[in-house]
Amino acid sequence: MSDPLLSYALETDPDPFPVGGTATLRLTARGGARPAYCKRIVVAVPTGAGTGELTTAPGSLVPAVTGGDAADQGGGWDVALTTPPGEAVFTLTPRDGRGWLAGVTPLTFTLGQVRVNTATGTARLRITEETSADGTAWATPEADLPVPKFPEGFVFRDLRAKQPHVNNGDRVTLTWEGSPATYTMDWGRRPVEVTEDGTWTSPSLHNTTVFRLAATLPGTTAERVLTTMVTVARPHLRLTDLRADGRIRRFGTSRPLAAPSPGALARYTAPTDGVLLGHVRARNGGEPASLRVTVLTDDTPVYGQRFVSDNRDRDRLPSETPFHLPVSEGCTVVVTAEGSADDDFGLTWMPYGNGPLVPRE
C-alpha cells in the first residue's frame, strides 16, 4: 500500500485526555511542498468501554470542518457520520468533488463533546485518504494516530530547555511539569529513564538536538510524548563527501540580545550575514504579545513580519511562538515589542563568521 500524501497532526483539549471527562479532538491535514489532490478523508473513531476505545457515546460527538473553502481547494467540505459496530466513522468530502491541500492551506477536522470512557490506555484513530499527486492516479492509503487516555488530573506539560541555544560542547538542562509516571528521555542515543522531579541535564552537545520525553503509566498502554529542540552553534559535521563550487561560510558564535521592553524599539546594524532567532510567549491568561521585526537596506524596508503569542485561554497549555529571519550584511534590523512586562521575549543573533549585531540610536 502506498504512503499517505497528506500529513496529520492531532491536538487534544485537555491534553492529555482525561478518562471519564469531556474533551475535544483537532485533526489537521495538510499537503507537502507540492499540493495533494483529495476526494475524501475518512476518520474512524473506536467506540466502546475498553482501553483501546475512546467513547461509549458516539451519538454525542459534534464534528466540524474548517479550511478548504477556496474553489480550487474543494469549495468547502462536508462531513457525514456512520456508526458501524465498534466505530464512529466520519467522512470528509469536498463539495466540488475534489480539492487540493498544500502545506500552507490545511484542513482541520474538530470533534467536540467527546465523552471519554473510563479505561486508561490508548485509542487509535484510523485515517483513510483518497488522494492523488497529479489528479489522475488515485490511491487510498491509511494512517493511524494514537490518542492516549490518562487518569483525571494527570499532568504532563511544558518541556523546555533552560538554554535553547548553546555552544558546541555545552550541556543543557531540561525541565517539565509532570505527575508521577515513568519518564524516558530519547535524544538520538540509547533512551534513558529519568527522574520524576521534572529536571534532567544532558551530556555535552555537539549538534542541534531534538529531545523526546515520553511519559507512561506502568501496566497501561497510555503514553504521552513531548519534544523540544536545542540548537548548537558551530556544530560538528559528519560527512562522507563534500564538494564546494563557490564561497563557503559557517556560523560563528551565537550571541543573545536584550529584547526591547514592551512599547520600546531596538535598532541594530548587521556587520555580516546571519540569522536572527527569537521567540515571544504571552503571559498565561493575559492579552496577546508580539514582536515586530523589520529589515531595511539604506533605510528602505526590505521585509517585515509580526510574530504573535496568544495565551488568553487558560484551559489550554501556554504556547510559545518561535521565529528565525535571515539578515544580510549591512542591513538595519528594527525590533518592536508589544505586550506587558510579564511576557517573555527572546532574541539571539547567529552570524555567518564573526560579528555581533551593533546597536544603533
Side-chain angles (χ1 to χ4, degrees):
M1 180 177 290
S2 60
D3 293 330
L5 295 182
L6 302 176
S7 63
Y8 299 93
L10 183 64
E11 296 180 37
T12 66
D13 186 10
D15 183 9
F17 254 25
V19 296
T22 300
T24 299
L25 283 170
R26 294 183 185 87
L27 176 66
T28 300
R30 66 177 74 236
R34 297 183 59 185
Y37 293 91
C38 186
K39 288 184 177 179
R40 63 187 171 101
I41 299 173
V42 181
V43 181
V45 179
T47 58
T51 60
E53 286 98 38
L54 190 60
T55 180
T56 58
S60 67
L61 304 178
V62 179
V65 181
T66 56
D69 297 320
D72 52 1
Q73 296 169 353
W77 289 58
D78 296 317
V79 56
L81 169 65
T82 58
T83 54
E87 289 185 322
V89 179
F90 297 89
T91 301
L92 287 61
T93 54
R95 294 168 188 163
D96 291 343
R98 74 174 192 180
W100 56 257
L101 300 178
V104 296
T105 55
L107 190 76
T108 298
F109 172 58
T110 301
L111 201 57
Q113 298 300 313
V114 181
R115 299 178 187 173
V116 187
N117 66 24
T118 58
T120 300
T122 301
R124 306 191 76 88
L125 303 184
R126 190 180 76 256
I127 303 169
T128 305
E129 64 183 45
E130 186 174 1
T131 51
S132 170
D134 58 8
T136 59
W138 296 87
T140 55
E142 293 185 357
D144 67 359
L145 293 175
V147 184
K149 300 175 295 175
F150 284 84
E152 185 177 2
F154 183 86
V155 172
F156 181 38
R157 61 194 176 201
D158 206 19
L159 174 65
R160 63 170 63 195
K162 289 188 176 180
Q163 292 178 284
H165 318 292
V166 298
N167 293 323
N168 193 322
D170 286 352
R171 306 170 73 183
V172 67
T173 298
L174 303 180
T175 61
W176 64 92
E177 184 181 351
S179 300
T182 298
Y183 291 93
T184 305
M185 186 71 73
D186 185 349
W187 70 105
R189 301 184 185 181
R190 183 186 298 275
V192 297
E193 189 169 318
V194 297
T195 59
E196 296 179 358
D197 64 0
T199 183
W200 178 77
T201 300
S202 76
S204 298
L205 300 181
H206 304 289
N207 299 91
T208 294
T209 303
V210 175
F211 293 93
R212 179 185 184 273
L213 181 62
T216 59
L217 292 179
T220 77
T221 61
E223 179 184 72
R224 175 76 173 99
V225 175
L226 298 178
T227 61
T228 192
M229 185 174 73
V230 175
T231 58
V232 174
R234 304 180 69 177
H236 285 182
L237 295 177
R238 298 177 183 177
L239 302 173
T240 56
D241 188 25
L242 176 65
R243 175 181 176 179
D245 295 323
R247 184 184 181 189
I248 297 177
R249 305 188 71 180
R250 65 180 185 179
F251 277 121
T253 302
S254 63
R255 299 171 184 267
L257 301 173
S261 301
L265 177 147
R267 295 171 63 91
Y268 303 92
T269 298
T272 182
D273 294 343
V275 177
L276 181 65
L277 306 173
H279 72 268
V280 54
R281 181 186 177 96
R283 176 174 58 88
N284 190 25
E287 291 300 309
S290 67
L291 276 177
R292 183 183 297 276
V293 183
T294 305
V295 178
L296 307 94
T297 299
D298 297 329
D299 294 326
T300 300
V302 178
Y303 58 85
Q305 288 184 265
R306 181 171 178 259
F307 304 94
V308 180
S309 173
D310 187 345
N311 291 321
R312 286 176 293 184
D313 187 352
R314 292 182 179 271
D315 294 329
R316 294 178 61 86
L317 185 66
S319 62
E320 179 178 283
T321 301
F323 64 87
H324 65 278
L325 289 175
V327 180
S328 299
E329 180 179 352
C331 285
T332 298
V333 180
V334 180
V335 183
T336 306
E338 298 176 0
S340 70
D342 295 328
D343 299 324
D344 181 19
F345 303 98
L347 294 174
T348 299
W349 172 242
M350 295 280 290
Y352 290 110
N354 294 307
L357 277 181
V358 180
R360 288 184 53 182
E361 294 298 330

